[in-house]
Structures are given as C-alpha cells and as structure tokens.
Amino acid sequence: MESHRNPVLTASLLAPPAVCVLLIPFREHFDNANAALLLVVVIVGVAVFGVRLAGILAAVSSAVWFDFFLTVPYGSFTIKSSDDVEQAVLLLVIGVAVTQIAIWGRRQQAEASRRLGYLEGVITASQSVAAGGSTDELIEQVRAKLTAVLGIDGVRFIAGSNQTHGPRLNPDGSVTRGSHVLKVERDGLPANAEIELTVQHAGEVRGRFLLTSATRIARPDLEQRLVAVALADQVGAALSSRAATRPPV
C-alpha cells in the first residue's frame, strides 16, 4: 500500500477539480445530478486502492469543487439552490460511505487470501506426508509456515516425548502457562519464553516445536493458532508413519 499511497492521495485532491473543470463548458445544459454521479465514480476510483484518507479527501474535494465550479453562482463557494446543496451534501456522504465499503471489501479480500494461504500450507504438508517424503524436509517446511502463520521470530524442532514446563499452544488453539489461559489477541504471545507446540499422532508425542517471539509482539488469532496445530499434526503423522515402517533392530 505504501508504494502507491502518495500518488493516490495526490489523485484524490486533483482528480475531482479536473473533472469539474472538464464539465464547465457543459454545465448550462448538464444536470448537476449527473455531474455528481461522475464525481462519485472518481471517488470510487480512488477508494478502490484501499487508502481511507484518500477516499475521504476525494469525497471532500468533490463536494467543494462541485460547489465552486458547477453550482450557481459559479466561481463561488455559495450555493443558492437547495437542490444543489442537497446534491453537494449527498456527494460528500456517499463518497465517505463508498470509501468505507471499498476498505471493507479489500479487507475481506485480504482475509480470503490469507485463509487460502493457510489451507494451501496444510494441504502441502498433507501431500508430503501422503507421498512419504523426507520428514526432515517436511519439518523445515512446517517451521517456515509456522513462522509466517503466527508472525513470530523463529521456530525450532526437538524430537522426543520430553516436554517443557513453559507456555504451551494447545490442540484447541488456546495458549496456557501452567493453568493460566493467556489472552493472546490482547497481550500477544509470551516474549520471554519459548512456547511449546506438541507434535503428536494418535495420542503419542513425537516431538515439539518451540516458538519464539522475542523481537515483536505477535497476536495470532484463534484461526491462525489452529492452523499451527494442524501443521504440527502433519509432522506428527509423518514421524509416526516413519516409526511404523522402520525395520526392527
């Protein structure tokens, strides 16, 4: 968003007066309601970039220059017609509303893309397990996915059934320290300790991922934490499968 923020802000201020100027030759024969609709199109064009300030500026700019260029008396910020006053106010209100809708739409799209990424990560891990691929490679893939999904600094894997007594990410997605349930969405993941994510299959512990977030406050939501658990379970299934097929000593 930062790469196009400044150009969009500039367009939000300059595009409405430019459109109004283009309409000046036709203003005597052009219904102001139609001019207002054209300005709404301009606002929508700015709002789709997802910069809230730009959309609001475009709405304000449109209302101001609609008044100045297209309402009687021309070249003045005075409006004599009550219809023109109503159109200017509606232009401002609709512009702000359109901006909010556009922002909401972009957020929904981003959320859908994020969920698709989570699903693809779990599917990739499942396919690796089904194909009987290298467990070391799978662990590395899952480590990378866990770091991205949870927004943390790093992850390390330790094999074996020994467990720590630090904070833990549980199968239900909750994070606990002892008997205390942590409010991750509010306070973030603990930054002063490694968080244990157990790797298990069919009730048998095969290892654990230790999650660290020392340099940032990570607040993964419940959905993200459940994805992390699902990824760890894929590693558990792979380790269980490898143990079952290992020839007896």
Side-chain angles (χ1 to χ4, degrees):
M1 181 183 294
E2 293 300 324
S3 63
H4 61 252
R5 179 180 176 85
N6 289 336
V8 171
L9 287 173
T10 301
S12 71
L13 293 173
L14 299 183
V19 170
C20 289
V21 169
L22 290 174
L23 292 176
I24 288 176
F26 313 100
R27 62 190 177 187
E28 297 293 343
H29 312 287
F30 197 79
D31 193 292
N32 277 353
N34 293 328
L37 288 176
L38 284 177
L39 289 169
V40 169
V41 172
V42 173
I43 297 169
V44 171
V46 171
V48 293
F49 287 94
V51 182
R52 177 180 282 106
L53 177 59
I56 293 174
L57 287 176
V60 173
S61 179
S62 295
V64 168
W65 296 116
F66 172 81
D67 173 13
F68 187 82
F69 288 114
L70 302 178
T71 66
V72 177
Y74 300 127
S76 168
F77 292 108
T78 301
I79 303 178
K80 289 186 176 180
S81 168
S82 60
D83 288 340
D84 288 340
V85 171
E86 182 179 335
Q87 288 170 0
V89 171
L90 284 175
L91 182 59
L92 177 61
V93 173
I94 292 172
V96 173
V98 165
T99 297
Q100 292 300 111
I101 293 171
I103 296 293
W104 178 83
R106 285 181 67 89
R107 286 179 176 172
Q108 293 298 110
Q109 183 181 29
E111 183 69 17
S113 297
R114 189 182 74 162
R115 289 178 175 174
L116 179 60
Y118 297 160
L119 180 59
E120 288 176 346
V122 175
I123 290 174
T124 299
S126 298
Q127 290 174 338
S128 180
V129 173
S134 166
T135 53
D136 290 338
E137 291 181 0
L138 175 62
I139 288 170
E140 287 303 308
Q141 291 176 8
V142 170
R143 283 181 62 249
K145 287 289 183 183
L146 289 174
T147 302
V149 167
L150 297 175
I152 56 180
D153 292 327
V155 179
R156 64 190 182 100
F157 175 76
I158 298 178
S161 59
N162 293 331
Q163 295 183 318
T164 66
H165 298 287
R168 179 169 297 150
L169 174 52
N170 302 299
D172 63 358
S174 64
V175 178
T176 55
R177 190 193 293 267
S179 59
H180 180 60
V181 178
L182 304 181
K183 299 183 182 299
V184 177
E185 285 88 348
R186 186 190 70 185
D187 302 325
L189 293 172
N192 58 353
E194 291 182 310
I195 304 161
E196 180 175 315
L197 172 57
T198 303
V199 174
Q200 58 185 339
H201 182 69
E204 186 173 353
V205 176
R206 295 290 179 177
R208 60 195 182 278
F209 285 106
L210 297 179
L211 320 173
T212 57
S213 182
T215 65
R216 69 180 88 177
I217 299 176
R219 295 186 175 88
D221 58 26
L222 178 60
E223 182 181 37
Q224 291 169 292
R225 302 196 301 269
L226 289 174
V227 169
V229 171
L231 289 168
D233 287 345
Q234 296 301 319
V235 175
L239 293 175
S240 179
S241 177
R242 185 179 70 173
T245 56
R246 183 180 300 162
V249 178

